[in-house]
Amino acid sequence: YFCSNAACPERVARNIEYFVSRGAMDIDGLGEQGVRQLLKSGLIHDEADLFTLTAEPLTTLEGYGDKKIQNLLKNIQAAKGRPLERLIAALGIRGVGGGIAELLISRYHSLDALLNASAADIDEIAGIGPHTAEAITDWTAQAHNRALVEKLRAAGVNFTADETAHAPTFD
């Protein structure tokens, strides 16, 4: 089953849990329990809010000592510089994992370029079918997802690909 309500509290929690996971933005020290604790306390409401966390409010949470807070904030800061394909995979777009994200950045070298791509253009990428292309453009067309992207931009998250790492090689 899949809840189509983007504001569903369980869906929000699961999206953030996926966002921080090892295969996505890899924010070590923040798992399911930590995400739910931050949501319940009102310190975060979406993935982008993680990047605005500061030490002081975290000290009021159970189990958050100075060392844990310092490590968590360091890991969140490091996540801002993760490669673009990690961010794209972390966004939770239906059908888009690490492999599809890499295919996408081989064509679109920035998140902005992907956000402005049509389903037909995305479908032209070898390895991406029409259903995935449609899921991507459906995701990018939703106002709350666009707002999330703008919050991530304002927080300083990397939106561009290292083009040398994804440039085609010719032997």
Side-chain angles (χ1 to χ4, degrees), residues 1-169:
Y1 295 103
F2 178 78
C3 179
S4 60
N5 176 6
C8 168
E10 184 62 22
R11 185 170 167 194
V12 169
R14 296 286 180 156
N15 286 348
I16 298 170
E17 289 167 16
Y18 179 71
F19 186 85
V20 303
S21 70
R22 189 171 311 259
M25 294 300 279
D26 193 19
I27 300 177
D28 193 30
L30 192 59
E32 178 182 348
Q33 183 179 352
V35 166
R36 290 177 186 271
Q37 191 177 18
L38 291 171
L39 283 166
K40 185 177 179 182
S41 68
L43 293 178
I44 64 169
H45 301 94
D46 61 28
E47 299 88 335
D49 288 341
L50 292 167
F51 297 103
T52 63
L53 287 173
T54 58
E56 186 178 330
L58 292 172
T59 61
T60 64
L61 301 178
E62 184 178 332
Y64 281 78
D66 290 340
K67 185 73 169 169
K68 181 175 180 172
I69 292 169
Q70 182 181 24
N71 286 337
L72 177 59
L73 294 177
K74 179 184 73 155
N75 293 337
I76 290 171
Q77 186 66 27
K80 288 181 180 183
R82 298 266 188 268
L84 178 59
E85 63 267 24
R86 298 286 291 272
L87 174 62
I88 292 171
L91 291 173
I93 302 168
R94 199 172 249 281
V96 178
I100 297 295
E102 286 187 26
L103 292 174
L104 289 167
I105 65 163
S106 69
R107 162 93 46 102
Y108 306 104
H109 303 295
S110 72
L111 187 55
D112 293 319
L114 177 60
L115 291 172
N116 293 313
S118 70
D121 288 340
I122 295 169
D123 186 34
E124 289 177 2
I125 302 171
I128 298 178
H131 295 294
T132 302
E134 194 67 37
I136 294 166
T137 55
D138 286 349
W139 189 94
T140 62
Q142 295 177 23
H144 68 272
N145 291 333
R146 290 284 183 148
L148 173 66
V149 167
E150 289 311 311
K151 285 176 72 175
L152 290 167
R153 181 190 318 278
V157 175
N158 177 35
F159 273 35
T160 58
D162 177 2
E163 292 186 40
T164 60
H166 301 284
T169 56

